[in-house]
Amino acid sequence: MSEPSLSVCVYCASSSKIEPSFLEQAHRLGEALADRQWRLVYGAGSSGLMGQVADGALTKGGSVVGIIPRFMMELEWNHPHIGETVVTTTMHERKQIMIDRADAFVTLPGGTGTLEEVTECLSFKRLGLHNKPVALANWGGYYDPLIEQLNRTIDDGFLAEGFRGMFESFSDLEGLLAFLESPTPWTNPIH
Ligand code: AMP
């Protein structure tokens, strides 16, 4: 198989006790990534949206890389069927490798772990540590409050106006995939 043209890091929930349509959409996203021969990079979990996006990619023969700290492996939280599992010592190391191995980021609905991952990714982008596209999957308006808060950091002067385009949000899968195909160029105002 030829090398994937794009590696997409997906941050998402480990919980399965959520709106079932989120689980279905995550599976469809995994399938869509594999259909395009893009690689999925994610937290290597087998439950919740993490498990669904990986299973979606695997059913279509996609390339899947999971990055997971050793303590989670010992708890058997890892997905046993993905193509590559990178085991890290710490959570920090895990998140850094996820950022390094991705060309673009997608954030699906999730809990504190997902929020931590996307806000760290945006903080690093804001500091110029990377300039990779970041998409929020705002399914069912799940991320409306986060988007409002992020806009408020700019409205209230905590962040310069030029950072407003640092991420884009999408309510549907098609818009999200079109963005990954052809991301809007963004120049960091600190440079
Ligand atoms: P959350 O959005 O809080 O479910 O967080 C997703 C992230 O939480 C993952 O990237 C992991 O760091 C971690 N996580 C929490 N529970 C699990 C689990 N059962 N399996 C795998 N990762 C988990």
Side-chain angles (χ1 to χ4, degrees):
M1 197 165 73
S2 60
E3 189 64 12
S5 57
L6 194 75
S7 291
V8 179
C9 175
V10 177
Y11 300 130
C12 61
S14 54
S15 176
S16 304
K17 295 175 190 161
I18 54 177
E19 166 64 40
S21 68
F22 289 168
L23 296 162
E24 288 155 22
Q25 287 189 88
H27 198 279
R28 286 195 3 242
L29 171 63
E31 291 176 36
L33 297 179
D35 282 344
R36 287 160 180 74
Q37 299 190 340
W38 294 344
R39 173 177 288 136
L40 168 66
V41 176
Y42 84 120
S46 59
S47 63
L49 297 186
M50 298 178 87
Q52 290 298 317
V53 72
D55 286 345
L58 292 173
T59 56
K60 295 273 186 151
S63 168
V64 180
V65 180
I67 328 285
I68 189 164
R70 183 163 304 282
F71 81 91
M72 287 191 192
M73 286 289 283
E74 286 165 1
L75 290 165
E76 299 182 352
W77 287 359
N78 62 297
H79 194 305
H81 303 304
I82 58 178
E84 182 185 351
T85 302
V86 178
V87 183
T88 67
T89 306
T90 65
M91 287 289 279
H92 286 107
E93 194 189 346
R94 177 205 212 186
K95 286 184 291 174
Q96 188 61 54
I97 293 173
M98 288 169 82
I99 288 177
D100 292 343
R101 294 213 37 183
D103 302 307
F105 303 90
V106 171
T107 306
L108 308 185
T112 52
T114 304
L115 291 171
E116 174 206 343
E117 288 163 346
V118 66
T119 51
E120 180 171 290
C121 181
L122 286 173
S123 298
F124 285 10
K125 186 167 179 175
R126 179 250 182 277
L127 294 169
L129 299 176
H130 72 83
N131 190 1
K132 300 173 183 177
V134 179
L136 280 184
N138 189 24
W139 296 341
Y142 182 76
Y143 279 124
D144 284 349
L146 178 63
I147 294 165
E148 191 181 335
Q149 185 64 53
L150 290 171
N151 281 330
R152 184 147 178 198
T153 62
I154 295 170
D155 297 342
D156 288 9
F158 291 99
L159 199 54
E161 184 61 40
F163 290 102
R164 213 179 279 278
M166 207 169 33
F167 70 93
E168 290 192 28
S169 68
F170 302 91
S171 55
D172 65 324
L173 198 51
E174 288 64 35
L176 181 70
L177 292 165
F179 172 75
L180 293 173
E181 295 258 6
S182 181
T184 319
W186 180 78
T187 303
N188 191 321
I190 64 173
H191 294 308

